[in-house]
Amino acid sequence: PGGVCLSTDFATTWNVSNEGLPVAPACSVVLDPRSPRGQRTLYAAVFEHGVYKSADDGKTWTKKSKGLGSASNLRVCRVAVHKDGALFALVTGKRSSIGGPFIQEGAGLYRSRDAGENWECITASNPLHWPKDFTVHPDDSNFIFVGAANAGNSRGGLYRTQNGGQSWQRVADK
């Protein structure tokens, strides 16, 4: 039904680590490399539920989704931690019904500069109804690429920002 599992023996055995998580798919889990051993901070993208944080090596989890997505769309499919501490979460598109139009609310790339306490949509100046993936430059968290599929009459393609999302440039469309 979904969740997070932990292996401490190079994937020979696995243990469930779901305390505080909803029963739902965890699509992405990342470790904050700045956190100390024995108290590792992890973030999980839980589809339809938002981002969850663990500050105790994944033993317990707390929801950290203030400002993320919308009430009608919390389809978080990926999280990433930049070496400068910026945390990113991608909320992908959602249809109103099977074959129906895409819900515009909530979809986009979000950033948190306070360990997930608060989120801001950094694609607000370039709304994408069906963002699919992103990458952040390893040395500059303001330099980001986001890929989006076409959704109805929205513009899919590959977009780049060099100023943390203040402006976006479409660099490829096929």
Side-chain angles (χ1 to χ4, degrees):
V4 174
C5 292
L6 172 72
S7 175
T8 58
D9 57 9
F10 301 99
T12 301
T13 60
W14 292 88
N15 296 305
V16 175
S17 179
N18 285 338
E19 186 178 327
L21 289 176
V23 179
C27 301
S28 175
V29 178
V30 295
L31 172 117
D32 184 342
R34 301 169 307 137
S35 58
R37 290 181 184 261
Q39 294 179 317
R40 291 293 197 186
T41 298
L42 300 154
Y43 297 93
V46 181
F47 202 64
E48 296 282 7
H49 294 275
V51 172
Y52 285 74
K53 178 181 179 179
S54 172
D56 59 6
D57 287 342
K59 293 177 185 79
T60 60
W61 297 87
T62 306
K63 188 171 186 173
K64 297 293 181 183
S65 298
K66 181 180 176 187
L68 185 66
S70 68
S72 62
N73 184 7
L74 265 178
R75 288 186 161 200
V76 182
C77 60
R78 184 155 176 261
V79 289
V81 177
H82 192 269
K83 71 180 183 180
D84 70 5
L87 180 62
F88 295 89
L90 185 72
V91 178
T92 193
K94 181 177 181 178
R95 289 187 184 270
S96 59
S97 60
I98 296 174
F102 277 85
I103 297 170
Q104 294 181 20
E105 295 81 27
L109 182 62
Y110 291 78
R111 177 180 53 220
S112 173
R113 294 208 183 267
D114 58 6
E117 295 299 322
N118 298 283
W119 293 91
E120 63 175 326
C121 181
I122 63 170
T123 53
S125 66
N126 184 36
L128 302 170
H129 300 164
W130 199 2
K132 303 302 277 178
D133 203 359
F134 69 96
T135 190
V136 182
H137 191 286
D139 296 322
D140 183 354
S141 67
N142 288 310
F143 194 98
I144 305 161
F145 285 95
V146 174
N150 285 319
N153 44 350
S154 73
R155 297 180 337 150
L158 182 64
Y159 293 86
R160 175 184 66 205
T161 182
Q162 295 176 298
N163 55 19
Q166 293 175 26
S167 62
W168 291 88
Q169 177 186 10
R170 189 178 196 192
V171 294
D173 65 356
K174 298 202 187 235

